[in-house]
Amino acid sequence: MAIPNHKLRAFEFPDGSYPQPFNVELDDSFLEMTLRKSFDIVAPDLPGFGLSPAPKQSGLGPRALARALDALMLQLGYEKYGIVTTDIGWFIGMWMVNEVKDSIIGHMTDFFIAPPTPGDRVLQAKGEASTEESAYIASYDSWFESHWAYATVHAQKPLALSQALGDSPVGLLGWYWDVNNSTSDGYEYSFEQLITDAMMLWIPGPYANCRAYLEFFKPDVMDFPPSRVPTGVSEWGWSKGPFSKIGDFAFAPMEWVKRTTNLVYFNKHDEGGHFPAICQPDLWVQDVRTFFGQLREAGA
C-alpha cells in the first residue's frame, strides 16, 4: 500500500484474554458474526494514522512501537495476548515477539518478507534453487527495483512529498491508489472504500503518516532475532494484478520464513492480494481462527 493507514494494526483477544489483530475496515456486522463472538478486539491507530495524533518527536520506529503497544495492552488489563499483523504492522509484530515476547501467546500475519541471503542467490545462480525460491527471488527483486519508489520518497523526503499531497485530497487519493492497485490481485475497491481510506490519511495530514517510513525503514529494521513465539503465516497471491512480475512477492518460501520464526501454521492461497481481510474475508478469518484455535488446544 502506498501509504500505511488506520487498517494496519488491530488486536483481538480470544475469550477475553488473548488479543489478536485484524483489519478494522471489515464490516461491523461481519465482525459481529465471526470474530467478536470469540475475541475481544483492540484496534489502535498507529501514531499519525486515522484518529491517532502524529508523534511530536523522532524515534518512534517499530521497536519503540512494539513496547508502546505492549504497554497499552497492559494498561487495558491484558497481560497475555496474541497479535495479527499486516503491512507495516508486520514490522512491529516481528519486534513485539522479541522485545515483549513474554506477553505474546502467538503472532498471526498475512504478510511476510524473507530477503534472499547471499547463499540463496548463489544457489539460484547455479540453478540449484527450487522453482518456488527462484520465483520468489525474481518477484522480490522486481518489487524493490520497480515498485518501491513511493517508500523511498516517504523515507527520504516525507515533508517535500507531503507539501504536495497536502494541497489536494484527490492527489493524495491518487498516490494511495497507485500502489494499492498494484498489490490488490485484481480486486476492485469501490469509490466509497478508496475515499474513506484517503480520508483517514487526510485527517492527521499526509506528513503525519508519510513520515512513518522515515522512522521504520532504517538499515536494521529487519534484523529480527529468531523468535520462539508461535507464529502463523498465511500467504496470498498477487498474480491477477496489473504487474505479473511481482505476482510471487507475497510467497516467501516456508523454509525461509522459519529462519526467524517458530512457524506452527502456514497456509498459501493462490489469490487474495496484499489486504486479504478485505479481498478474501471469509478465508482470512478462517486462517486467523485456525491458528489461534490450535494454540488454545495446545494450552497456550
Side-chain angles (χ1 to χ4, degrees), residues 131-150:
T131 301
E132 178 190 33
E133 291 167 346
S134 294
Y136 179 71
I137 291 174
S139 284
Y140 178 94
D141 289 346
S142 181
W143 172 259
F144 285 103
E145 290 170 1
S146 303
H147 299 275
W148 189 241
Y150 76 95

Side-chain angles (χ1 to χ4, degrees), residues 225-285:
S227 170
R228 298 308 305 162
V229 172
T231 299
V233 175
S234 62
E235 298 185 335
W236 306 79
W238 297 3
S239 62
K240 293 182 179 179
F243 301 104
S244 60
K245 289 185 178 180
I246 59 173
D248 289 307
F249 178 68
F251 289 153
M254 182 173 66
E255 293 303 315
W256 295 11
V257 173
K258 291 180 179 179
R259 292 170 177 171
T260 54
T261 69
N262 174 20
L263 189 67
V264 300
Y265 178 83
F266 186 85
N267 199 6
K268 186 174 180 178
H269 303 267
D270 291 335
E271 56 189 47
H274 186 44
F275 289 116
I278 297 174
C279 304
Q280 297 286 343
D282 292 334
L283 292 176
W284 184 87
V285 167

Side-chain angles (χ1 to χ4, degrees), residues 45-75:
D45 290 336
L46 292 180
F49 298 90
L51 303 179
S52 183
K56 294 184 178 180
Q57 60 187 31
S58 62
L60 198 58
R63 297 183 74 167
L65 281 169
R67 296 187 292 270
L69 289 174
D70 182 61
L72 170 64
M73 302 310 295
L74 294 175
Q75 289 180 34

Side-chain angles (χ1 to χ4, degrees), residues 89-103:
W90 172 76
F91 294 90
I92 300 172
M94 290 294 286
W95 283 111
M96 290 183 80
V97 297
N98 283 284
E99 297 285 317
V100 296
K101 58 182 180 294
D102 291 339
S103 298

